[in-house]
Amino acid sequence: MTTEEVTTESMINPQSVVRRLAAAEGYLELGMPGYALAELNSVVDAGPFAPIAELFRGEALQAQEKYADAIEPLNRAARMFPAPFNQRALLALSNCYRQDGQIQLADETAAAVEMPDDLPQGAKVIIAPIFHIAKSAGKRISDDHN
């Protein structure tokens, strides 16, 4: 294998990575964590998208009730995302610690979540999707333009 072939092979294709991550998130929204993990496992190097890949991997494992396995990718995602963008990872991580019986870590992680001061007591936090997929085919960007 030549140096050029190695360099080409090791370079990430951002469009491919984003498509895989968007597919993984879609599978998570549909309650299909096994398919989400299959998409994530097909990404060899997520490059700058690694925090998102770690977050989705942790969420997929959490959805499969593999809480102990989900802790490490969620922990990595929480460290990779700067605050306050790490709240989604921290909330999931806190839940996994709690489900795994690590109550003190769950409480400490939950306390690290920066909630707005004006949030009413008992209000639910809504986690918005990272990728927005258009509902109609007419609004989608075709693969030819990527």
Side-chain angles (χ1 to χ4, degrees):
M1 193 178 284
T2 68
T3 306
E4 185 178 314
E5 289 172 331
V6 170
T7 303
T8 303
E9 240 178 61
S10 64
M11 291 176 52
I12 69 164
N13 178 344
Q15 290 85 6
S16 175
V17 172
V18 168
R19 277 194 295 270
R20 296 280 185 191
L21 293 175
E25 185 176 36
Y27 284 128
L28 287 171
E29 289 177 2
L30 293 172
M32 303 168 74
Y35 286 97
L37 286 170
E39 289 291 340
L40 294 167
N41 290 338
S42 71
V43 175
V44 177
D45 179 8
F49 305 103
I52 298 169
E54 292 293 332
L55 174 66
F56 291 165
R57 182 173 308 285
E59 288 180 341
L61 292 166
Q62 179 184 20
Q64 291 181 329
E65 298 181 1
K66 296 178 180 177
Y67 302 111
D69 294 337
I71 289 171
E72 192 53 39
L74 289 171
N75 206 338
R76 283 191 298 266
R79 286 193 314 264
M80 291 171 157
F81 279 112
F85 302 106
N86 62 354
Q87 292 179 9
R88 180 170 168 176
L90 288 171
L91 288 169
L93 182 59
S94 176
N95 181 56
C96 287
Y97 279 139
R98 193 167 312 287
Q99 294 295 328
D100 195 47
Q102 300 180 54
I103 305 304
Q104 183 176 353
L105 280 173
D107 292 343
E108 290 171 7
T109 304
V113 176
E114 296 177 15
M115 300 303 280
D117 294 329
D118 59 350
L119 192 67
Q121 187 70 13
K124 293 200 181 250
V125 177
I126 297 173
I127 305 294
I130 292 174
F131 297 100
H132 174 73
I133 308 300
K135 301 274 190 240
S136 69
K139 292 184 181 179
R140 289 184 53 200
I141 298 172
S142 72
D143 290 342
D144 298 334
H145 293 97
N146 288 332

